[in-house]
Amino acid sequence: MAWNEPGGNSGGKRNPWGGGNKPEQGPPDLDEVLRNLQRRLAGLFGGGSGGNRTVGGAGPGRGFGIGTIVLVLAAIWAFSGLYTVDAAERGVILRFGKHVATTMPGLRWHLPWPIETKQIVNIQTIESFSEQTRMLTSDENMVDINMEVQFRRASPLDYAFNVNEPEQTLKEVSESAIREIIGRSKLDGVLESGRQEIVARTKELIQRTLDAYKVGLEVTAVNLQDVKVPNEVAPAQQDAIKAREDRDRLSLAAQAYSNDLIPRARGAAVRAVQEAQAYRAQKVSKAEGEAERFTALLTEYERAPAVTRERLYLETVENVLASSKKVVLDTKDGAGNLVYLPIDKLLEQNRRAPRVTTTEPSMTVESTDTSDGTTVTGDRRTRGTR
C-alpha cells in the first residue's frame, strides 16, 4: 500500500512506517453492516460476493436469493397441510371456519392455515367417567349412588360443532337422568331387584337427551357401581322401612279379612233370597192346593150338603181334640161302672207313638132330610179312639 493512499480520516495521510497518532475509532457504519449482511445471505443461497453492491441495488444475486426464500417458504407452507387420519379417527376440515369435508383414514392434505384447518375426532375409543351423587327415592328415602357412564364420539361433525364442551354436557345430562329415574323408583327396587331396569331406563333417557341436543356422543353402557344408604340416616331409614312393612302387612291382613267377609256376606244374601223365594213358592203352592181342595169340597157339598157338613164337623172336632189333654169316656148301656185309666201315661205314649185311627164298620143310612124329598145315602162313621 502506498503511503499516500487515502484511508482513515478524510483528507489525512497515514505514515507507512507506523509514525503518527492513530485516528479515533467512531461508531460502526450502518451501510457497511447492511452490506455485510447482504453478502452473507447471498453466499448462503448461492449468490456471488459483491463488495461494491449497495443496499438498494438490484443485482442478479439478490433477486435469486429472495425467490429461493419465497419458494422454500411456499413449499414449507404447502407441506404443512399434510396430515394422517388413523383407522379409529375421522378428520373434520374447516375452510375459514365452515365445514367443507369429513375425511376418512389415510394420508390426507388440506389447504394449510389460515385457509383451512383440521380437527381429528376419535370415533371408536370407548371413554368413561364416574358420577357420585346423593338423591331421594319416590318413597322419600335417601341413597348414595356411584354411576359410571361409558361413551364414544359417534358423529364427528355434531361433536365438533353443535355443543360446546360435549363431555361436560354428557356429565350434566347423566346426573339429571339418574336423578329423574331414582326419583320415580322405590328404595327396595334401587337396592335390590330393580337395578337392571334403572340402568336400562337411565341409559335410554341419557341417549334420548343427547340425540335431542345433537351432541354427537353415543352412550355404550351405564353401570351402578355402588348404591347404599348414607350412614347418617341409616337407623331412621330402617325404622321408616319397618313402619312401612308393618303398614303393608296390616293392609294385607285387612284385605284378606275383607276378601273372606265379603263373599260370606254375599253368600248369605243369596241364601236369604233363595229361602225367601222357596218360602214364597211354598206358600203359593199351599194356597193353590187349599184353593183346589176347597173347590173340590164345594163340589161335594153341593152334591150332599148334610153328609158333608157332618163330616166337616167330625174332622174339625177330631183336629181340636187331638191336641187336647182331656179324655172323654163314653160308657155303654148307661152302666155306672167307672173305668180307671192312667191318663198321664196314655198322653205320654200318645206323644211318642204314631197315631192309629180305629174305626168301626161304617153303616149305611138313608135320610130324607133334603127339602125336595129325595133320599140321600151316605156313610156315617162312628167315633173311634186315637
Side-chain angles (χ1 to χ4, degrees):
M1 176 183 296
W3 63 273
N4 56 353
E5 287 182 356
N9 297 328
S10 60
K13 298 183 183 289
R14 186 171 52 183
N15 188 355
W17 293 277
N21 296 329
K22 295 181 180 180
E24 296 180 1
Q25 185 176 1
D29 191 356
L30 182 59
D31 294 338
E32 183 66 23
V33 172
L34 293 177
R35 282 195 297 269
N36 292 334
L37 180 60
Q38 182 179 0
R39 283 196 299 269
R40 290 178 182 179
L41 291 175
L44 180 62
F45 294 101
S49 59
N52 295 329
R53 294 174 187 162
T54 60
V55 176
R62 179 177 180 275
F64 177 77
I66 293 176
T68 303
I69 293 174
V70 172
L71 291 177
V72 170
L73 293 177
I76 295 174
W77 180 77
F79 276 106
S80 66
L82 291 174
Y83 66 98
T84 302
V85 180
D86 293 337
E89 298 174 341
R90 297 293 184 270
V92 179
I93 306 301
L94 309 179
R95 181 176 299 166
F96 299 112
K98 181 180 178 180
H99 175 261
V100 293
T102 300
T103 58
M104 302 302 290
L107 180 62
R108 304 294 175 180
W109 181 85
H110 68 89
L111 294 176
W113 184 88
I115 300 176
E116 291 181 353
T117 57
K118 71 177 184 301
Q119 183 175 354
I120 304 299
V121 179
N122 193 314
I123 64 172
Q124 293 185 4
T125 301
I126 303 297
E127 300 183 10
S128 64
F129 68 90
S130 296
E131 185 73 22
Q132 186 172 3
T133 183
R134 178 174 295 179
M135 59 195 68
L136 288 175
T137 60
S138 62
D139 50 359
E140 298 181 355
N141 290 310
M142 187 173 294
V143 292
D144 288 337
I145 291 183
N146 186 8
M147 178 181 64
E148 181 187 17
V149 179
Q150 298 179 357
F151 67 95
R152 70 181 185 92
R153 301 170 182 86
S155 176
L157 186 60
D158 292 342
Y159 176 82
F161 283 96
N162 290 339
V163 177
N164 187 22
E165 298 182 358
E167 286 81 3
Q168 182 64 30
T169 302
L170 175 59
K171 292 181 180 180
E172 295 174 357
V173 170
S174 300
E175 182 178 0
S176 176
I178 190 63
R179 285 185 178 275
E180 179 177 349
I181 299 301
I182 295 297
R184 296 180 179 179
S185 305
K186 293 186 178 181
L187 180 63
D188 296 339
V190 175
L191 295 178
E192 298 175 1
S193 59
R195 297 183 62 173
Q196 295 299 327
E197 182 181 0
I198 291 174
V199 167
R201 292 169 58 190
T202 303
K203 178 183 176 183
E204 179 184 0
L205 182 57
I206 294 174
Q207 190 62 58
R208 187 167 65 246
T209 306
L210 294 178
D211 294 341
Y213 292 159
K214 295 183 178 180
V215 180
L217 298 177
E218 178 186 358
V219 178
T220 58
V222 175
N223 300 317
L224 294 181
Q225 295 180 337
D226 189 16
V227 180
K228 63 181 182 179
V229 178
N231 297 329
E232 298 82 359
V233 299
Q237 197 158 3
Q238 290 177 358
D239 293 340
I241 293 173
K242 185 177 182 301
R244 186 173 63 251
E245 291 176 350
D246 293 340
R247 180 197 64 188
D248 295 339
R249 178 176 55 81
L250 295 176
S251 176
L252 291 175
Q255 187 66 32
Y257 176 75
S258 174
N259 293 337
D260 179 68
L261 184 63
I262 291 177
R264 289 176 178 269
R266 290 176 179 172
V270 173
R271 184 174 63 252
V273 172
Q274 292 177 351
E275 290 177 354
Q277 292 176 351
Y279 178 76
R280 180 187 65 180
Q282 180 183 2
K283 288 297 183 180
V284 170
S285 299
K286 185 176 181 180
E288 291 176 352
E290 292 291 336
E292 292 178 357
R293 187 178 66 84
F294 181 80
T295 303
L297 182 62
L298 178 61
T299 303
E300 294 295 330
Y301 181 80
E302 291 176 351
R303 293 173 58 185
V307 175
T308 304
R309 280 198 304 268
E310 185 176 2
R311 182 168 64 86
L312 292 176
Y313 171 78
L314 294 176
E315 289 179 354
T316 303
V317 171
E318 182 181 6
N319 291 332
V320 172
L321 295 179
S323 59
S324 175
K325 296 182 180 180
K326 295 180 179 180
V327 177
V328 179
L329 298 176
D330 186 10
T331 60
K332 296 181 180 180
D333 301 331
N337 297 328
L338 179 63
V339 180
Y340 171 75
L341 295 175
I343 299 175
D344 53 347
K345 298 297 182 178
L346 291 175
L347 292 176
E348 184 178 356
Q349 185 178 2
N350 189 25
R351 294 192 190 98
R352 295 179 180 178
R355 266 191 278 176
V356 178
T357 303
T358 304
T359 60
E360 295 181 357
S362 60
M363 299 175 59
T364 304
V365 297
E366 294 182 356
S367 177
T368 57
D369 293 339
T370 57
S371 58
D372 55 357
T374 59
T375 300
V376 178
T377 302
D379 294 335
R380 176 174 296 179
R381 294 181 299 173
T382 60
R383 190 178 339 178
T385 302
R386 292 181 178 271

